[in-house]
Amino acid sequence: MGNTLRIGPALIWLAISLPSAADVITSQPSLYLDPAWLTLIHYQPDAFGDGYTSQADDPAFFLSKNGKHSPRAELAATLEAIQQPAGGDDHARCQFPARTAWLRQTLDLSLPEIDCPSYQQWSDTLNTETVTLVFAASYLNSPSSMFGHTFLRLDPPQEDEETNLLLASTISYAADAAAHDSEISFAYKGIFGGYPGITTIQPYYEKVRLYSDIEHRDLWEYRLNLTQDEVDMMIAHAWEIRDRNFDYYFFDENCAYRLLALIDIARPGTNLLGEVNTHAIPSDTVRWVVDKGLVSDVYYRPSAATSVAYSLTNLPDGQQTLAAAIANGYVAADASEVTSLPPRQRAHVLDATYDYVRYKSEADGWPREIAAPLSHDLLRERSRIEGIPPPEKPPKPEVRDDQGHDTFRLSLGAGQQAHREFTQFTLRPAYHDLLDPPAGYRSGAQLQFLRLDARLYTDNNELQLEQLTGVEIRSLSPRNAFFTPLSWQVGFGARRTDTGEKRVLAPYLEGGAGGSWRLGSHTRAFAMATADLEIDDNLRHGYDAAPGADIGLLHQNNRFSVLAGAKTKSWIVSSRDRQDQLYARANWHLGREFSLFAEFTREDHFDRYQSLWQAGLHAYF
């Protein structure tokens, strides 16, 4: 009886003071089409018709059974749910604080206060005053990281410059992949939507250890100029989507895409998601955030590999050799070769060697019984040198990743092959090749997806698909006394191949591995063993395979890039013929929007020589 007397007045007050969902829908019939509401529920227009579908794939995200496809039904269900009496963690206002805040402000609702202990504790623990967008540079050795990765750091109030942001929390969105899946399986499911994506919270120091210390990836930190109310709105929506499934796709609905949605919700009207057409490359999304005026300052955090390489390369050649000898146990830390150096040079050698040993211990798992005594000896000798500061940190690159060329490229060129003149059109949605403007990209790295090359031959107006590149990856990382990375390449698609009688479009798979060596600050040489496989009914056995080799030189600078070399292949199944080729390609960079290109090849195949040349223009956007 007592409970009834207490609850009764509350129910009467709610019935009198709060508008019903039906009243709101009637008085504001287009409210459910408000861009802010559509963004909150992650609705996107249907490809066909005038309806909407939410990208959220978890039924628990919706309060209406029709919520996935009906913004109107979800709005009505939300209005009804948040006006229910009582409270607690299961109440709609506790489950969906961002929706509640938006409806409260938009409709000027007066709702009684309720307790949401779990959400309040979560928000208090995050203690967020500012938000920083963090970009981890690309990492070719993992399919999930080839384009780079973005996440948000939730910064607490900074009382002074000593506030340790490594302890801050982060919000990230990634595929919830099975631990036993191979990289190939991960790539396939990531492209075609085989994984759910989830939003997770982790400490920033764990991200730094993973990306910077283990995967050798530089971090760029972009502090967003959000107000405290906008930060609170972002945190509230992050609570709503925590552990909720959204299908994950590499090219569009990826880590960067979900973060754009969070920023759009925090500051309505930015419409960052409107920039996404065919794909959402992380570096592109960072560029959009910067272009929208959302960034107040930028901080560069070099990876452990970048810092170590900088320390080592600043040593003279002779001292680099000495540091390598110490690290590999050929020279003791207190040997005469070391102690005879002037104090400043000796300090720099010991510092660089110590940093290298620590890096190898962390990244490559050097045995503790080797690394620990060596580190101790290096620190002991270094402690005997006073007044010499530690080595400087690597300088911030002149061009950030978001300041490089745009990843979508259209090309138009003209040329001649075997005395047939043609006009060639090329479309490449993503991302970068060796001859594109290198500023803002990994030196010696190439990653292309879904590139299409079509030719119109002018002698008979014949339009042909010359090549369709599904994936093409190339990594030419130079080797030296300290780092010995493998240079490698892989690609698949369909291309024109010469059967000896005609040129046919044949599916292919190719790969290779070898080494690269730096010849100067902008030039490197490479040598690779290669293997090719082609499949087509026009081949004698239906397929052909060829071991081969590729040697060449690559020069990259901000004005022009050149790739030249020689290839040889021995087709051993159908044609039983050797294919030799000399090639030279060059791009002249006209800023970040355009490049002029030229190409020449001379090939010997089926006992006949033929040449190809072409030139044209690349446009990046």
Side-chain angles (χ1 to χ4, degrees):
M1 181 67 177
N3 288 337
T4 303
L5 291 175
R6 285 194 295 270
I7 296 174
L11 294 176
I12 295 172
W13 179 85
L14 285 171
I16 295 174
S17 62
L18 296 182
S20 69
D23 292 339
V24 171
I25 296 298
T26 301
S27 62
Q28 299 193 43
S30 62
L31 182 63
Y32 68 94
L33 295 177
D34 189 296
W37 175 252
L38 297 177
T39 303
L40 269 171
I41 317 298
H42 300 266
Y43 287 115
Q44 291 293 311
D46 291 338
F48 303 99
D50 56 358
Y52 290 86
T53 298
S54 173
Q55 293 173 332
D57 298 293
D58 195 323
F61 184 71
F62 303 101
L63 289 168
S64 166
K65 64 179 181 179
N66 299 320
K68 183 165 177 72
H69 301 283
S70 176
R72 183 187 181 101
E74 187 64 18
L75 176 63
T78 302
L79 276 169
E80 181 179 353
I82 66 174
Q83 295 181 94
Q84 295 301 312
D89 289 334
D90 292 332
H91 194 278
R93 287 169 60 187
C94 299
Q95 291 290 317
F96 301 102
R99 296 190 204 181
T100 301
W102 182 78
L103 288 169
R104 203 171 194 168
Q105 180 180 15
T106 302
L107 299 175
D108 195 24
L109 292 179
S110 177
L111 298 172
E113 296 299 322
I114 64 172
D115 290 329
C116 299
S118 294
Y119 171 63
Q120 192 62 50
Q121 180 182 5
W122 186 77
S123 179
D124 291 344
T125 301
L126 294 180
N127 188 27
T128 307
E129 183 178 69
T130 57
V131 176
T132 297
L133 174 66
V134 183
F135 174 79
S138 59
Y139 181 58
L140 288 184
N141 288 335
S142 171
S144 61
S145 305
M146 288 179 179
F147 295 117
H149 182 66
T150 55
F151 56 94
L152 296 175
R153 191 183 71 206
L154 311 177
D155 300 339
Q158 291 185 262
E159 299 175 358
D160 51 50
E161 294 183 358
E162 301 302 319
T163 302
N164 191 353
L165 293 176
L166 289 174
L167 300 177
S169 297
T170 65
I171 297 177
S172 61
Y173 174 78
D176 187 16
H180 59 272
D181 279 359
S182 67
E183 295 285 11
I184 294 177
S185 175
F186 187 93
Y188 175 82
K189 292 181 179 179
I191 292 173
F192 296 104
Y195 288 123
I198 57 172
T199 302
T200 57
I201 307 293
Q202 287 179 283
Y204 186 46
Y205 66 80
E206 290 185 4
K207 295 288 191 180
V208 172
R209 184 177 183 275
L210 172 63
Y211 294 129
S212 177
D213 297 346
I214 297 178
E215 294 188 352
H216 331 316
R217 301 165 68 178
D218 296 343
L219 299 178
W220 288 94
E221 302 172 355
Y222 301 78
R223 177 166 293 181
L224 305 181
N225 54 19
L226 301 177
T227 66
Q228 187 62 59
D229 287 342
E230 291 170 339
V231 169
D232 293 344
M233 189 65 168
M234 177 184 288
I235 298 303
H237 188 64
W239 170 262
E240 294 179 346
I241 63 174
R242 77 203 187 286
D243 301 327
R244 305 298 191 202
N245 290 341
F246 289 73
D247 284 346
Y248 181 93
Y249 298 88
F250 275 170
F251 297 122
D252 47 16
E253 296 180 43
N254 54 24
C255 63
Y257 185 92
R258 289 286 155 241
L259 300 188
L260 294 183
L262 276 174
I263 298 173
D264 276 348
I265 287 167
R267 181 171 291 178
T270 54
N271 194 28
L272 289 167
L273 289 181
E275 301 286 345
V276 181
N277 292 314
T278 58
H279 57 281
I281 302 297
S283 59
D284 283 341
T285 61
V286 173
R287 184 180 297 117
W288 301 333
V289 171
V290 172
D291 290 345
K292 293 281 188 177
L294 289 160
V295 175
S296 60
D297 56 75
V298 181
Y299 178 76
Y300 172 63
R301 187 184 294 271
S303 70
T306 298
S307 299
V308 170
Y310 179 75
S311 296
L312 292 169
T313 54
N314 277 346
L315 297 175
D317 290 344
Q319 293 177 20
Q320 288 186 32
T321 303
L322 178 59
I326 297 171
N328 288 286
Y330 300 120
V331 175
D334 59 354
S336 59
E337 295 96 320
V338 182
T339 57
S340 62
L341 293 172
R344 181 173 295 275
Q345 294 182 22
R346 185 164 77 253
H348 289 172
V349 168
L350 293 171
D351 283 335
T353 308
Y354 175 73
D355 289 342
Y356 174 71
V357 172
R358 283 188 58 198
Y359 166 78
K360 296 295 283 186
S361 300
E362 180 74 19
D364 293 350
W366 272 18
R368 179 175 175 78
E369 57 270 20
I370 296 175
L374 179 54
S375 297
H376 177 269
D377 292 345
L378 290 165
L379 288 175
R380 182 194 66 224
E381 294 303 311
R382 180 62 174 90
S383 68
R384 294 172 178 170
I385 308 172
E386 298 181 355
I388 308 297
E392 296 179 356
K393 293 184 178 180
K396 179 187 293 188
E398 294 182 2
V399 179
R400 304 191 306 258
D401 294 65
D402 64 281
Q403 294 173 323
H405 69 79
D406 289 340
T407 56
F408 200 100
R409 192 183 78 185
L410 279 176
S411 308
L412 183 64
Q416 184 183 89
Q417 180 170 13
H419 305 295
R420 294 189 68 192
E421 295 181 353
F422 61 82
T423 299
Q424 181 161 310
F425 171 81
T426 300
L427 170 66
R428 188 197 67 192
Y431 158 72
H432 176 76
D433 71 29
L434 294 173
L435 298 179
D436 285 333
Y441 290 82
R442 308 283 76 74
S443 178
Q446 174 171 298
L447 175 57
Q448 299 190 97
F449 275 81
L450 304 178
R451 170 176 164 170
L452 183 148
D453 296 78
R455 287 182 182 176
L456 176 65
Y457 286 94
T458 57
D459 57 351
N460 60 357
N461 289 327
E462 180 185 9
L463 181 64
Q464 281 191 352
L465 176 61
E466 180 66 19
Q467 183 164 337
L468 176 61
T469 303
V471 175
E472 186 175 71
I473 307 169
R474 201 170 195 185
S475 177
L476 301 179
S477 299
R479 303 165 68 92
N480 56 35
F482 301 96
F483 301 99
T484 56
L486 181 70
S487 292
W488 58 278
Q489 64 186 42
V490 65
F492 68 85
R495 65 189 177 195
R496 292 285 165 183
T497 189
D498 193 347
T499 65
E501 299 174 354
K502 59 181 177 178
R503 297 178 74 243
V504 299
L505 188 68
Y508 73 91
L509 173 66
E510 63 181 9
S516 303
W517 298 267
R518 194 179 297 279
L519 301 182
S521 58
H522 299 290
T523 306
R524 67 194 68 189
F526 61 89
M528 287 195 185
T530 63
D532 285 57
L533 174 67
E534 294 182 344
I535 303 172
D536 193 87
D537 291 340
N538 290 283
L539 299 173
R540 186 179 305 167
H541 295 285
Y543 71 97
D544 211 342
D550 184 4
I551 60 173
L553 294 172
L554 171 66
H555 177 88
Q556 295 175 302
N557 67 48
N558 291 330
R559 299 183 65 182
F560 64 90
S561 300
V562 178
L563 178 65
K567 294 181 181 179
T568 184
K569 303 175 185 178
S570 294
W571 297 99
I572 57 177
V573 178
S574 293
S575 59
R576 298 184 181 275
D577 183 71
R578 202 174 85 180
Q579 182 178 359
D580 299 321
Q581 183 185 94
L582 294 174
Y583 62 89
R585 306 182 185 99
N587 281 15
W588 287 264
H589 312 310
L590 309 176
R592 53 175 272 185
E593 289 86 11
F594 299 98
S595 288
L596 297 173
F597 71 89
E599 174 184 357
F600 176 80
T601 65
R602 179 71 169 172
E603 185 175 274
D604 176 19
H605 196 197
F606 294 112
D607 296 325
R608 64 174 181 265
Y609 288 93
Q610 67 176 14
S611 298
L612 176 143
W613 65 264
Q614 66 169 320
L617 178 70
H618 296 312
Y620 305 90
F621 57 92

